[in-house]
Amino acid sequence: MKVSRVLFFLILVSFSCAVFAQTSATESQSENEKKQKELEKLVFDLLDQSVSDASNLKLPQNRALVYGIAGDLFWKTDEKRARKLFQDAANDLIVSNQLAEKEKKDSDNPYFGLYEWGSIRDEILPLIAKHDADLAIELLVQTRTATLAASMAKASLPASKQGGGMFSFDSQQYKVRNEIALEQQFAVLAAEQNPDKAIKLIKDSLSKGISWNVLPLLQKLNRKNEKKATELASDIAKQISDTDLTKKSDDLAAAVRFLNFATNSKVKKDGKEKRFKFTDSQINQIANKVVDTYLKPNNSIDNSIGLIQALPMLEKLVPEKSALLKQRQSELMKNLPPEVKKMQERQKLWNPNTTPEEILEKISDFNESEKATAYSSLLNKIGKIEDEVRAKQLIEKIPDDKFRERAADAFESARITRTAKEGKLDEAKGLIGKITKKSVQIQKLVAIAIDFHKKGAEKDIETARNLMKDVKSLINENPEDEDELNDVMEAVNGYSIINPTEAFRLFEPFVDQLNDFVQASAVLSKYNKESETFKKGELILKVDGYSWNTVLLFRYIKQFQLLGKADLGRISSLSDRFTRSDARIAVKLFIAQGFLRDPKKDEEDKLDEEENEFFY
């Protein structure tokens, strides 16, 4: 009887504990959901405030940017509002275009707007395209200037001739190519949901010009319907065959790149999906058209260089015409100026297959500009070498002391990453201590600390904390120059993940300094008509900021975003300390962007970028 009572008591206690545990878990989950909702409300309040304040901005391009980013961020929770914001962005882009045309007309500078490499329109429309490619294409046409539309219509005429090339620049032709590339980029996105419609879009786009940007589209179509991808490739091959490539230098360049893609023996292998490939007949059709084009009378430097570069590939594809091609090359080489011949020899060194030894052998013959490019390539190649003996032999042969030191750091930096990934922390720390540049030491320590923290085990988290203590010992919390400030901000990057309280302590003193810097830069911009950071007294905004810019505010957007992830309320309060509305709007907008950004989506975008490298 007593045993039964004891047993009953134990069962009762166990049941009570289970109920208590379940209740606690439910309450904890409810509390977490409540906190998450509060954070979401705060971030959307930031976004609402940015959109509301944007109406007071002077520059229509800035208003368009705010509406574009806000629409991108609102899409998941309020698609109707997002679409309205996208249309508002398009309306301001049209106004911006009109003002730009007027400025160009009124300017006394004959080179005004000649070398425009991109515009805010090129940044906003892709934001729209990732949600609704059809809408992006519609707005692409809607926001196109009359001048650009006329140039595109002219370029699509069979008799039209493309100018430009390596030794000349046609700004309007560049804009046409860029516009066609955007249109085809959006068609790639449309292909994921509606392949048939995307095929129509790409065919319409091909009528305006041939672009290698169709290659990702062919791959996406190939995933869903191999037959349709092959049919579209046939249309592309026919388009190339029917085009007078002697008058279309850009189309000729695209055709050559198609052949490069088709014959690339180093194609990435992916067991999960079948890669798109041109059929033999399609390759043959394109190759013969390219060969016929190069054999026609044309002694331009660009044509000569093009043939020289394409010859090894064409000899393999169309061996029966090898003799004619070599004869043509010989004729063209006679007409090439000595400096161009020299440049051709140098270009061989930029080939991905060129060894660092081959670069070092020729580097003494280069001018200063060429040496800078050669050293950049050399450092990149040395950083990838795992053989320590070979790497050190190469480094010792570098004649320039500064680059020899940088090459040693590049090799050690890569070796540290490999060593840390193998779990040899003490050895990695020892290698870090041998690096000559303190900034590189800090970067490597922060990167390793974050990697350990991601593992999540208490031991690993403690290791991450200790590594950040090493970082702290290397930085000057009262920086005296730009390099030391960058070191502090690198520490903020690590601490924002590992110890947010310490990150805020380091970062907060600089908010007021950033505010003062923006204001001072605005004053100085009044006396610089060519300023690229201010216009009409207002800060020029960009979709992702621009780290190279002299306005430090944008250089440290990443820190604002990381701190926003750690403590949204606190970083929001810090953003209110910016006295200028343009700076305040930008900071709040980027904080919201960083908070709502999906890490998984970022990883997918990164993989897409890597895949696109495969095509180009």
Side-chain angles (χ1 to χ4, degrees):
M1 187 70 176
K2 287 182 178 179
V3 174
S4 298
R5 288 179 179 177
V6 171
L7 184 60
F8 175 75
F9 176 75
L10 290 174
I11 292 172
L12 182 63
V13 170
S14 299
F15 178 75
S16 299
C17 289
V19 170
F20 176 77
Q22 185 176 358
T23 303
S24 297
T26 303
E27 289 176 353
S28 177
Q29 183 179 354
S30 178
E31 186 65 26
N32 288 337
E33 290 176 355
K34 182 180 177 182
K35 287 181 179 179
Q36 185 60 31
K37 286 181 180 179
E38 289 174 353
L39 287 173
E40 288 177 359
K41 183 180 183 305
L42 180 55
V43 76
F44 282 115
D45 284 345
L46 277 174
L47 211 48
D48 281 328
Q49 188 175 346
S50 297
V51 170
S52 177
D53 292 345
S55 61
N56 297 319
L57 292 172
K58 298 177 185 176
L59 302 178
Q61 66 191 68
N62 278 349
R63 296 196 298 270
L65 177 138
V66 175
Y67 299 147
I69 293 180
D72 175 38
L73 299 178
F74 271 121
W75 185 269
K76 281 186 178 180
T77 57
D78 192 344
E79 184 180 325
K80 183 178 179 181
R81 185 178 185 191
R83 289 183 179 278
K84 171 68 166 57
L85 285 165
F86 287 153
Q87 186 60 61
D88 290 342
N91 293 340
D92 271 314
L93 286 175
I94 293 170
V95 175
S96 181
N97 288 340
Q98 292 169 346
L99 291 175
E101 289 291 317
K102 185 177 185 303
E103 286 177 15
K104 185 176 181 179
K105 184 179 179 180
D106 295 343
S107 176
D108 295 328
N109 182 357
Y111 302 105
F112 184 88
L114 182 61
Y115 297 103
E116 291 178 343
W117 300 109
S119 69
I120 200 69
R121 175 175 174 267
D122 297 348
E123 298 181 50
I124 293 171
L125 291 176
L127 288 179
I128 301 171
K130 70 181 184 180
H131 299 295
D132 188 335
D134 290 336
L135 176 61
I137 292 170
E138 179 185 325
L139 297 181
L140 179 73
V141 176
Q142 189 181 123
T143 59
R144 189 176 290 161
T145 64
T147 303
L148 180 55
S151 296
M152 291 185 71
K154 182 179 178 182
S156 66
L157 296 175
S160 65
K161 184 174 181 178
Q162 292 171 343
M166 291 182 64
F167 299 95
S168 58
F169 177 74
D170 185 326
S171 63
Q172 203 59 31
Q173 182 181 318
Y174 167 82
K175 291 174 183 176
V176 168
R177 292 201 306 269
N178 185 64
E179 192 75 358
I180 292 171
L182 270 178
E183 193 172 82
Q184 293 176 345
Q185 176 189 334
F186 298 163
V188 169
L189 293 171
E192 295 182 351
Q193 295 180 342
N194 190 335
D196 291 330
K197 189 167 185 178
I199 290 172
K200 182 181 183 304
L201 289 169
I202 207 68
K203 286 182 177 179
D204 290 344
S205 185
L206 281 171
S207 67
K208 302 163 191 168
I210 301 162
S211 169
W212 57 82
N213 284 289
V214 301
L215 284 173
L217 171 65
L218 290 170
Q219 175 61 18
K220 288 182 183 293
L221 283 177
N222 199 62
R223 292 173 187 165
K224 294 179 178 293
N225 192 317
E226 186 177 346
K227 182 181 177 182
K228 288 183 178 180
T230 301
E231 288 173 353
L232 180 57
S234 293
D235 289 339
I236 293 169
K238 186 177 185 305
Q239 174 80 9
I240 292 171
S241 183
D242 292 344
T243 299
D244 185 352
L245 297 182
T246 60
K247 298 178 180 178
K248 303 276 189 178
S249 57
D250 293 320
D251 290 5
L252 173 60
V256 171
R257 293 187 75 168
F258 289 152
L259 294 177
N260 275 323
F261 166 79
T263 57
N264 186 359
S265 61
K266 295 186 177 181
V267 169
K268 294 181 183 178
K269 302 296 182 184
D270 188 343
K272 295 181 181 179
E273 63 178 39
K274 187 176 181 180
R275 291 286 183 184
F276 165 78
K277 63 178 183 180
F278 288 98
T279 65
D280 291 342
S281 63
Q282 290 165 356
I283 295 171
N284 186 263
Q285 186 177 8
I286 296 171
N288 275 293
K289 180 65 179 184
V290 169
V291 168
D292 291 345
T293 301
Y294 281 130
L295 290 178
K296 288 180 180 178
N298 185 342
N299 294 327
S300 72
I301 292 176
D302 292 309
N303 188 66
S304 303
I305 291 174
L307 174 57
I308 294 167
Q309 292 175 337
L311 183 59
M313 174 183 63
L314 293 174
E315 285 185 299
K316 293 178 183 178
L317 294 173
V318 196
E320 67 274 15
K321 294 187 179 179
S322 179
L324 287 173
L325 286 168
K326 284 184 176 180
Q327 182 182 342
R328 181 66 179 145
Q329 181 194 36
S330 178
E331 294 170 357
L332 292 171
M333 286 294 289
K334 294 177 183 178
N335 298 320
L336 283 179
E339 61 270 18
V340 176
K341 292 180 182 179
K342 186 178 178 182
M343 183 187 73
Q344 279 298 106
E345 288 298 316
R346 302 286 164 79
Q347 281 189 330
K348 295 177 183 177
L349 297 178
W350 316 142
N351 189 299
N353 298 322
T354 303
T355 66
E357 285 84 357
E358 289 173 323
I359 295 176
L360 268 175
E361 185 182 344
K362 297 286 185 179
I363 209 163
S364 60
D365 298 332
F366 295 171
N367 60 39
E368 290 306 309
S369 176
E370 291 169 334
K371 280 182 180 179
T373 305
Y375 275 126
S376 177
S377 176
L378 183 63
L379 263 58
N380 181 53
K381 291 177 183 291
I382 288 176
K384 294 177 180 178
I385 296 175
E386 295 188 21
D387 183 340
E388 183 177 354
V389 174
R390 181 191 173 203
K392 289 189 174 180
Q393 287 176 344
L394 283 166
I395 292 168
E396 287 173 3
K397 292 179 182 178
I398 295 175
D400 187 286
D401 293 341
K402 180 179 68 174
F403 281 103
R404 187 163 58 249
E405 183 178 300
R406 287 178 59 187
D409 283 347
F411 172 71
E412 291 300 333
S413 178
R415 187 151 70 118
I416 289 163
T417 300
R418 291 194 297 268
T419 303
K421 285 183 177 179
E422 292 169 1
K424 304 172 184 176
L425 180 60
D426 290 337
E427 185 180 339
K429 288 176 69 175
L431 292 171
I432 289 173
K434 294 178 182 178
I435 293 179
T436 55
K437 291 190 71 173
K438 186 172 69 172
S439 62
V440 179
Q441 289 182 330
I442 292 169
Q443 289 167 12
K444 299 309 294 184
L445 284 168
V446 168
I448 295 173
I450 291 173
D451 284 342
F452 268 98
H453 192 270
K454 285 179 180 177
K455 294 179 181 179
E458 185 56 41
K459 181 182 177 182
D460 294 322
I461 291 174
E462 186 59 32
T463 298
R465 290 172 182 154
N466 289 332
L467 285 166
M468 288 308 300
K469 288 179 182 177
D470 294 339
V471 171
K472 191 175 179 180
S473 69
L474 291 172
I475 65 172
N476 178 6
E477 293 187 26
N478 298 299
E480 297 181 1
D481 58 34
E482 186 176 344
D483 291 337
E484 290 189 350
L485 177 57
N486 287 335
D487 290 342
V488 174
M489 292 302 173
E490 187 65 32
V492 170
N493 286 343
Y495 273 125
S496 64
I497 295 168
I498 296 163
N499 185 350
T501 301
E502 183 64 15
F504 274 100
R505 187 189 70 79
L506 289 172
F507 185 75
E508 191 166 349
F510 296 105
V511 174
D512 291 332
Q513 293 180 37
L514 289 173
N515 179 57
D516 292 341
F517 188 94
V518 173
Q519 185 58 45
S521 299
V523 173
L524 291 173
S525 74
K526 293 180 180 179
Y527 307 99
N528 179 12
K529 288 185 177 181
E530 305 300 321
S531 173
E532 295 181 354
T533 53
F534 287 86
K535 187 175 181 180
K536 296 182 179 179
E538 189 170 280
L539 193 59
I540 298 174
L541 309 183
K542 296 285 184 180
V543 166
D544 288 314
Y546 31 136
S547 59
W548 54 266
N549 199 280
T550 53
V551 178
L552 292 180
L553 171 65
F554 290 130
R555 194 175 301 174
Y556 302 124
I557 285 297
K558 179 182 177 182
Q559 283 74 14
F560 277 102
Q561 292 181 329
L562 286 172
L563 291 170
K565 286 276 191 182
D567 190 334
L568 186 60
R570 188 169 179 181
I571 199 66
S572 177
S573 296
L574 288 179
S575 69
D576 288 328
R577 284 159 61 170
F578 285 93
T579 53
R580 291 179 57 92
S581 60
D582 47 11
R584 190 168 58 252
I585 290 171
V587 171
K588 287 182 181 294
L589 193 64
F590 289 126
I591 290 171
Q593 188 182 49
F595 187 87
L596 293 172
R597 182 175 287 157
D598 184 355
K600 291 182 180 179
K601 184 66 170 63
D602 286 346
E603 190 64 28
E604 289 174 6
D605 291 342
K606 184 179 179 182
L607 291 173
D608 281 344
E609 287 177 10
E610 291 174 355
E611 183 178 83
N612 285 342
E613 289 177 7
F614 158 76
F615 293 113
Y616 305 130

